[in-house]
mmCIF file of all heavy atoms in Angstrom:
data_model
loop_
_atom_site.group_PDB
_atom_site.id
_atom_site.type_symbol
_atom_site.label_atom_id
_atom_site.label_comp_id
_atom_site.label_asym_id
_atom_site.label_seq_id
_atom_site.Cartn_x
_atom_site.Cartn_y
_atom_site.Cartn_z
ATOM 1 N N GLN A 191 -14.101 3.403 -8.111
ATOM 2 C CA GLN A 191 -15.120 4.212 -8.716
ATOM 3 C C GLN A 191 -15.147 4.230 -10.204
ATOM 4 O O GLN A 191 -16.070 4.759 -10.871
ATOM 5 C CB GLN A 191 -15.026 5.655 -8.225
ATOM 6 C CG GLN A 191 -15.605 5.907 -6.820
ATOM 7 C CD GLN A 191 -14.640 5.478 -5.706
ATOM 8 O OE1 GLN A 191 -13.499 5.802 -5.707
ATOM 9 N NE2 GLN A 191 -15.178 4.610 -4.714
ATOM 10 N N GLY A 224 -9.809 3.296 -11.026
ATOM 11 C CA GLY A 224 -9.693 4.620 -10.451
ATOM 12 C C GLY A 224 -10.452 4.795 -9.155
ATOM 13 O O GLY A 224 -11.461 4.151 -8.880
ATOM 14 N N VAL A 225 -9.909 5.630 -8.278
ATOM 15 C CA VAL A 225 -10.522 5.851 -6.959
ATOM 16 C C VAL A 225 -10.584 7.384 -6.845
ATOM 17 O O VAL A 225 -9.601 8.130 -7.125
ATOM 18 C CB VAL A 225 -9.622 5.279 -5.792
ATOM 19 C CG1 VAL A 225 -10.061 5.856 -4.449
ATOM 20 C CG2 VAL A 225 -9.648 3.772 -5.859
ATOM 21 N N HIS A 226 -11.708 7.952 -6.417
ATOM 22 C CA HIS A 226 -12.064 9.328 -6.386
ATOM 23 C C HIS A 226 -11.613 9.952 -5.066
ATOM 24 O O HIS A 226 -11.901 9.443 -4.030
ATOM 25 C CB HIS A 226 -13.596 9.438 -6.645
ATOM 26 C CG HIS A 226 -14.168 10.798 -6.288
ATOM 27 N ND1 HIS A 226 -13.688 12.034 -6.802
ATOM 28 C CD2 HIS A 226 -15.223 11.115 -5.547
ATOM 29 C CE1 HIS A 226 -14.429 12.985 -6.297
ATOM 30 N NE2 HIS A 226 -15.314 12.480 -5.554
ATOM 31 N N TYR A 227 -11.017 11.239 -5.221
ATOM 32 C CA TYR A 227 -10.774 11.996 -3.994
ATOM 33 C C TYR A 227 -12.063 12.562 -3.451
ATOM 34 O O TYR A 227 -12.887 13.008 -4.185
ATOM 35 C CB TYR A 227 -9.969 13.228 -4.398
ATOM 36 C CG TYR A 227 -8.519 13.147 -4.739
ATOM 37 C CD1 TYR A 227 -8.047 12.903 -6.033
ATOM 38 C CD2 TYR A 227 -7.500 13.345 -3.710
ATOM 39 C CE1 TYR A 227 -6.720 12.809 -6.297
ATOM 40 C CE2 TYR A 227 -6.172 13.240 -3.935
ATOM 41 C CZ TYR A 227 -5.776 12.999 -5.282
ATOM 42 O OH TYR A 227 -4.494 12.955 -5.531
ATOM 43 N N PRO A 228 -12.328 12.443 -2.169
ATOM 44 C CA PRO A 228 -13.424 13.105 -1.628
ATOM 45 C C PRO A 228 -13.454 14.560 -1.986
ATOM 46 O O PRO A 228 -12.397 15.252 -1.750
ATOM 47 C CB PRO A 228 -13.346 12.851 -0.035
ATOM 48 C CG PRO A 228 -12.512 11.603 0.032
ATOM 49 C CD PRO A 228 -11.459 11.627 -1.154
ATOM 50 N N ASP A 229 -14.545 15.075 -2.519
ATOM 51 C CA ASP A 229 -14.505 16.500 -2.937
ATOM 52 C C ASP A 229 -14.114 17.438 -1.834
ATOM 53 O O ASP A 229 -13.434 18.428 -2.049
ATOM 54 C CB ASP A 229 -15.931 16.825 -3.498
ATOM 55 C CG ASP A 229 -16.205 16.142 -4.903
ATOM 56 O OD1 ASP A 229 -15.294 16.276 -5.745
ATOM 57 O OD2 ASP A 229 -17.191 15.548 -5.044
ATOM 58 N N ALA A 230 -14.624 17.169 -0.634
ATOM 59 C CA ALA A 230 -14.378 18.125 0.477
ATOM 60 C C ALA A 230 -12.918 18.235 0.758
ATOM 61 O O ALA A 230 -12.413 19.339 1.140
ATOM 62 C CB ALA A 230 -15.181 17.617 1.764
ATOM 63 N N CYS A 231 -12.108 17.122 0.593
ATOM 64 C CA CYS A 231 -10.620 17.194 0.824
ATOM 65 C C CYS A 231 -10.018 18.117 -0.178
ATOM 66 O O CYS A 231 -8.977 18.787 0.130
ATOM 67 C CB CYS A 231 -10.053 15.798 0.772
ATOM 68 S SG CYS A 231 -10.678 14.736 2.149
ATOM 69 N N VAL A 232 -10.511 18.114 -1.427
ATOM 70 C CA VAL A 232 -9.846 18.980 -2.405
ATOM 71 C C VAL A 232 -10.240 20.409 -2.256
ATOM 72 O O VAL A 232 -9.402 21.307 -2.352
ATOM 73 C CB VAL A 232 -10.317 18.402 -3.853
ATOM 74 C CG1 VAL A 232 -9.751 19.304 -4.984
ATOM 75 C CG2 VAL A 232 -9.811 17.027 -4.098
ATOM 76 N N GLU A 233 -11.503 20.590 -1.928
ATOM 77 C CA GLU A 233 -12.025 21.962 -1.923
ATOM 78 C C GLU A 233 -11.815 22.736 -0.646
ATOM 79 O O GLU A 233 -11.770 24.025 -0.617
ATOM 80 C CB GLU A 233 -13.574 21.920 -2.178
ATOM 81 C CG GLU A 233 -13.921 21.390 -3.622
ATOM 82 C CD GLU A 233 -15.302 21.110 -3.864
ATOM 83 O OE1 GLU A 233 -16.081 21.164 -2.939
ATOM 84 O OE2 GLU A 233 -15.638 20.680 -4.921
ATOM 85 N N ALA A 245 -6.238 16.882 5.924
ATOM 86 C CA ALA A 245 -6.837 15.666 5.566
ATOM 87 C C ALA A 245 -6.505 15.226 4.174
ATOM 88 O O ALA A 245 -6.499 14.029 3.855
ATOM 89 C CB ALA A 245 -8.339 15.739 5.685
ATOM 90 N N TYR A 246 -6.347 16.175 3.212
ATOM 91 C CA TYR A 246 -6.065 15.878 1.875
ATOM 92 C C TYR A 246 -4.757 14.952 1.723
ATOM 93 O O TYR A 246 -4.846 13.992 1.084
ATOM 94 C CB TYR A 246 -5.821 17.223 1.079
ATOM 95 C CG TYR A 246 -5.376 16.941 -0.324
ATOM 96 C CD1 TYR A 246 -6.293 16.966 -1.472
ATOM 97 C CD2 TYR A 246 -4.016 16.790 -0.677
ATOM 98 C CE1 TYR A 246 -5.852 16.715 -2.706
ATOM 99 C CE2 TYR A 246 -3.636 16.526 -1.982
ATOM 100 C CZ TYR A 246 -4.539 16.522 -3.055
ATOM 101 O OH TYR A 246 -4.135 16.304 -4.352
ATOM 102 N N GLY A 247 -3.706 15.267 2.471
ATOM 103 C CA GLY A 247 -2.485 14.613 2.290
ATOM 104 C C GLY A 247 -2.675 13.220 2.864
ATOM 105 O O GLY A 247 -2.201 12.220 2.342
ATOM 106 N N VAL A 249 -5.561 11.489 3.260
ATOM 107 C CA VAL A 249 -6.548 10.762 2.467
ATOM 108 C C VAL A 249 -5.883 10.249 1.102
ATOM 109 O O VAL A 249 -6.235 9.180 0.621
ATOM 110 C CB VAL A 249 -7.805 11.567 2.211
ATOM 111 C CG1 VAL A 249 -8.721 10.934 1.176
ATOM 112 C CG2 VAL A 249 -8.620 11.730 3.579
ATOM 113 N N GLN A 250 -4.991 11.042 0.537
ATOM 114 C CA GLN A 250 -4.313 10.633 -0.559
ATOM 115 C C GLN A 250 -3.503 9.324 -0.376
ATOM 116 O O GLN A 250 -3.461 8.390 -1.254
ATOM 117 C CB GLN A 250 -3.399 11.725 -1.122
ATOM 118 C CG GLN A 250 -2.691 11.399 -2.432
ATOM 119 C CD GLN A 250 -2.037 12.659 -3.022
ATOM 120 O OE1 GLN A 250 -2.554 13.311 -3.913
ATOM 121 N NE2 GLN A 250 -0.785 12.966 -2.563
ATOM 122 N N VAL A 251 -2.891 9.297 0.814
ATOM 123 C CA VAL A 251 -2.258 7.991 1.193
ATOM 124 C C VAL A 251 -3.268 6.858 1.270
ATOM 125 O O VAL A 251 -2.972 5.708 0.803
ATOM 126 C CB VAL A 251 -1.413 8.154 2.430
ATOM 127 C CG1 VAL A 251 -0.837 6.896 2.963
ATOM 128 C CG2 VAL A 251 -0.315 9.175 2.308
ATOM 129 N N MET A 253 -6.063 6.546 -0.343
ATOM 130 C CA MET A 253 -6.432 6.095 -1.649
ATOM 131 C C MET A 253 -5.399 5.256 -2.293
ATOM 132 O O MET A 253 -5.699 4.295 -3.023
ATOM 133 C CB MET A 253 -6.702 7.441 -2.494
ATOM 134 C CG MET A 253 -7.815 8.272 -2.084
ATOM 135 S SD MET A 253 -7.802 9.947 -2.835
ATOM 136 C CE MET A 253 -8.047 9.448 -4.552
ATOM 137 N N ASN A 254 -4.072 5.569 -2.017
ATOM 138 C CA ASN A 254 -3.080 4.728 -2.470
ATOM 139 C C ASN A 254 -3.160 3.216 -2.004
ATOM 140 O O ASN A 254 -2.954 2.308 -2.664
ATOM 141 C CB ASN A 254 -1.662 5.243 -2.235
ATOM 142 C CG ASN A 254 -1.308 6.572 -3.001
ATOM 143 O OD1 ASN A 254 -2.039 6.833 -3.970
ATOM 144 N ND2 ASN A 254 -0.300 7.201 -2.620
ATOM 145 N N PHE A 325 -15.417 13.036 -12.477
ATOM 146 C CA PHE A 325 -14.624 13.517 -11.318
ATOM 147 C C PHE A 325 -13.574 14.519 -11.695
ATOM 148 O O PHE A 325 -12.876 15.036 -10.761
ATOM 149 C CB PHE A 325 -13.924 12.358 -10.636
ATOM 150 C CG PHE A 325 -14.901 11.300 -10.173
ATOM 151 C CD1 PHE A 325 -14.835 10.028 -10.707
ATOM 152 C CD2 PHE A 325 -15.941 11.519 -9.233
ATOM 153 C CE1 PHE A 325 -15.670 9.015 -10.252
ATOM 154 C CE2 PHE A 325 -16.755 10.562 -8.800
ATOM 155 C CZ PHE A 325 -16.693 9.299 -9.323
ATOM 156 N N GLY A 326 -13.429 14.903 -12.932
ATOM 157 C CA GLY A 326 -12.279 15.762 -13.335
ATOM 158 C C GLY A 326 -10.994 15.093 -13.043
ATOM 159 O O GLY A 326 -10.877 13.832 -13.106
ATOM 160 N N PRO A 327 -9.973 15.774 -12.535
ATOM 161 C CA PRO A 327 -8.672 15.174 -12.200
ATOM 162 C C PRO A 327 -8.731 14.657 -10.692
ATOM 163 O O PRO A 327 -7.622 14.224 -10.303
ATOM 164 C CB PRO A 327 -7.700 16.279 -12.279
ATOM 165 C CG PRO A 327 -8.532 17.551 -12.035
ATOM 166 C CD PRO A 327 -9.942 17.254 -12.594
ATOM 167 N N ARG A 328 -9.818 14.719 -10.031
ATOM 168 C CA ARG A 328 -9.924 14.261 -8.641
ATOM 169 C C ARG A 328 -10.032 12.780 -8.596
ATOM 170 O O ARG A 328 -11.028 12.228 -8.024
ATOM 171 C CB ARG A 328 -11.123 14.924 -8.023
ATOM 172 C CG ARG A 328 -10.995 16.443 -8.010
ATOM 173 C CD ARG A 328 -12.269 17.093 -7.388
ATOM 174 N NE ARG A 328 -12.204 18.513 -7.400
ATOM 175 C CZ ARG A 328 -13.110 19.361 -6.924
ATOM 176 N NH1 ARG A 328 -14.150 18.822 -6.218
ATOM 177 N NH2 ARG A 328 -12.926 20.683 -6.950
ATOM 178 N N ILE A 329 -9.176 12.076 -9.197
ATOM 179 C CA ILE A 329 -9.173 10.599 -9.228
ATOM 180 C C ILE A 329 -7.828 10.145 -9.406
ATOM 181 O O ILE A 329 -6.934 10.716 -10.175
ATOM 182 C CB ILE A 329 -10.074 10.122 -10.447
ATOM 183 C CG1 ILE A 329 -10.239 8.605 -10.469
ATOM 184 C CG2 ILE A 329 -9.676 10.713 -11.759
ATOM 185 C CD1 ILE A 329 -11.355 8.130 -11.405
ATOM 186 N N ARG A 330 -7.400 9.076 -8.825
ATOM 187 C CA ARG A 330 -6.101 8.452 -8.898
ATOM 188 C C ARG A 330 -6.242 7.101 -9.565
ATOM 189 O O ARG A 330 -7.334 6.474 -9.413
ATOM 190 C CB ARG A 330 -5.435 8.284 -7.514
ATOM 191 C CG ARG A 330 -5.024 9.618 -6.921
ATOM 192 C CD ARG A 330 -4.368 9.544 -5.578
ATOM 193 N NE ARG A 330 -3.085 8.982 -5.650
ATOM 194 C CZ ARG A 330 -1.987 9.682 -5.954
ATOM 195 N NH1 ARG A 330 -2.089 10.939 -6.193
ATOM 196 N NH2 ARG A 330 -0.735 9.078 -5.930
ATOM 197 N N PHE A 331 -5.272 6.574 -10.168
ATOM 198 C CA PHE A 331 -5.340 5.357 -10.975
ATOM 199 C C PHE A 331 -4.303 4.330 -10.582
ATOM 200 O O PHE A 331 -3.258 4.695 -10.059
ATOM 201 C CB PHE A 331 -5.216 5.659 -12.455
ATOM 202 C CG PHE A 331 -6.271 6.592 -13.038
ATOM 203 C CD1 PHE A 331 -5.884 7.930 -13.312
ATOM 204 C CD2 PHE A 331 -7.551 6.183 -13.281
ATOM 205 C CE1 PHE A 331 -6.880 8.803 -13.802
ATOM 206 C CE2 PHE A 331 -8.451 7.047 -13.754
ATOM 207 C CZ PHE A 331 -8.138 8.337 -14.014
ATOM 208 N N GLU A 398 6.063 19.269 -4.179
ATOM 209 C CA GLU A 398 5.184 18.076 -4.235
ATOM 210 C C GLU A 398 6.069 16.796 -4.075
ATOM 211 O O GLU A 398 5.704 15.850 -3.306
ATOM 212 C CB GLU A 398 4.407 17.986 -5.493
ATOM 213 C CG GLU A 398 3.488 16.796 -5.452
ATOM 214 C CD GLU A 398 2.627 16.830 -6.804
ATOM 215 O OE1 GLU A 398 2.700 17.797 -7.677
ATOM 216 O OE2 GLU A 398 1.876 15.879 -7.005
ATOM 217 N N ILE A 431 -0.474 20.658 -2.020
ATOM 218 C CA ILE A 431 -1.636 20.226 -2.823
ATOM 219 C C ILE A 431 -1.469 20.966 -4.141
ATOM 220 O O ILE A 431 -1.339 22.105 -4.137
ATOM 221 C CB ILE A 431 -2.935 20.744 -2.195
ATOM 222 C CG1 ILE A 431 -3.085 20.149 -0.722
ATOM 223 C CG2 ILE A 431 -4.139 20.352 -2.984
ATOM 224 C CD1 ILE A 431 -4.282 20.625 -0.032
ATOM 225 N N GLY A 432 -1.465 20.181 -5.192
ATOM 226 C CA GLY A 432 -1.269 20.797 -6.613
ATOM 227 C C GLY A 432 -2.477 21.615 -6.956
ATOM 228 O O GLY A 432 -3.616 21.019 -7.028
ATOM 229 N N LEU A 435 -4.603 20.500 -9.892
ATOM 230 C CA LEU A 435 -5.727 19.583 -9.621
ATOM 231 C C LEU A 435 -6.899 20.361 -8.913
ATOM 232 O O LEU A 435 -8.075 20.177 -9.359
ATOM 233 C CB LEU A 435 -5.211 18.442 -8.680
ATOM 234 C CG LEU A 435 -6.284 17.312 -8.366
ATOM 235 C CD1 LEU A 435 -5.527 15.972 -8.109
ATOM 236 C CD2 LEU A 435 -7.111 17.626 -7.198
ATOM 237 N N ARG A 456 -17.071 21.052 -7.422
ATOM 238 C CA ARG A 456 -17.749 20.066 -8.292
ATOM 239 C C ARG A 456 -19.216 20.101 -8.047
ATOM 240 O O ARG A 456 -19.669 20.182 -6.914
ATOM 241 C CB ARG A 456 -17.199 18.623 -8.117
ATOM 242 C CG ARG A 456 -17.669 17.691 -9.198
ATOM 243 C CD ARG A 456 -16.783 16.405 -9.096
ATOM 244 N NE ARG A 456 -17.179 15.588 -7.942
ATOM 245 C CZ ARG A 456 -18.050 14.649 -8.018
ATOM 246 N NH1 ARG A 456 -18.672 14.333 -9.170
ATOM 247 N NH2 ARG A 456 -18.370 13.910 -6.933
ATOM 248 N N HIS A 553 -12.689 6.018 3.798
ATOM 249 C CA HIS A 553 -12.856 6.438 2.350
ATOM 250 C C HIS A 553 -14.188 5.899 1.829
ATOM 251 O O HIS A 553 -14.945 6.604 1.141
ATOM 252 C CB HIS A 553 -11.678 5.972 1.506
ATOM 253 C CG HIS A 553 -11.809 6.445 0.053
ATOM 254 N ND1 HIS A 553 -12.456 5.730 -0.902
ATOM 255 C CD2 HIS A 553 -11.274 7.574 -0.517
ATOM 256 C CE1 HIS A 553 -12.366 6.380 -2.069
ATOM 257 N NE2 HIS A 553 -11.675 7.548 -1.809
ATOM 258 N N ALA A 556 -16.922 7.994 2.985
ATOM 259 C CA ALA A 556 -17.013 9.316 2.321
ATOM 260 C C ALA A 556 -17.698 9.165 0.975
ATOM 261 O O ALA A 556 -18.473 9.989 0.459
ATOM 262 C CB ALA A 556 -15.610 9.839 2.164
ATOM 263 N N MET A 557 -17.309 8.044 0.202
ATOM 264 C CA MET A 557 -17.921 7.780 -1.067
ATOM 265 C C MET A 557 -19.439 7.550 -0.938
ATOM 266 O O MET A 557 -20.223 8.019 -1.762
ATOM 267 C CB MET A 557 -17.279 6.633 -1.738
ATOM 268 C CG MET A 557 -15.827 6.821 -2.091
ATOM 269 S SD MET A 557 -15.525 8.215 -3.267
ATOM 270 C CE MET A 557 -15.030 9.521 -2.092
ATOM 271 N N GLU A 560 -21.160 10.906 -0.486
ATOM 272 C CA GLU A 560 -21.255 11.652 -1.802
ATOM 273 C C GLU A 560 -22.303 11.116 -2.735
ATOM 274 O O GLU A 560 -23.062 11.829 -3.365
ATOM 275 C CB GLU A 560 -19.849 11.734 -2.459
ATOM 276 C CG GLU A 560 -18.902 12.590 -1.828
ATOM 277 C CD GLU A 560 -17.684 12.787 -2.692
ATOM 278 O OE1 GLU A 560 -17.644 12.397 -3.937
ATOM 279 O OE2 GLU A 560 -16.693 13.440 -2.219
ATOM 280 N N ALA A 566 -18.317 14.714 2.741
ATOM 281 C CA ALA A 566 -17.676 14.048 3.799
ATOM 282 C C ALA A 566 -16.089 14.186 3.766
ATOM 283 O O ALA A 566 -15.573 14.339 2.656
ATOM 284 C CB ALA A 566 -18.032 12.513 3.731
ATOM 285 N N PRO A 568 -12.927 12.295 5.479
ATOM 286 C CA PRO A 568 -12.300 11.420 6.468
ATOM 287 C C PRO A 568 -11.017 12.066 7.089
ATOM 288 O O PRO A 568 -10.522 13.074 6.555
ATOM 289 C CB PRO A 568 -11.802 10.249 5.488
ATOM 290 C CG PRO A 568 -12.508 10.524 4.307
ATOM 291 C CD PRO A 568 -12.774 11.999 4.155
#
Side-chain angles (χ1 to χ4, degrees):
Q191 280 79 52
V225 169
H226 165 51
Y227 284 91
D229 288 310
C231 293
V232 177
E233 294 167 359
Y246 174 95
V249 168
Q250 184 168 264
V251 173
M253 293 167 66
N254 289 347
F325 304 117
R328 301 176 183 184
I329 185 169
R330 293 179 72 79
F331 300 104
E398 188 176 353
I431 304 177
L435 185 149
R456 191 168 77 94
H553 185 271
M557 294 300 98
E560 288 193 7

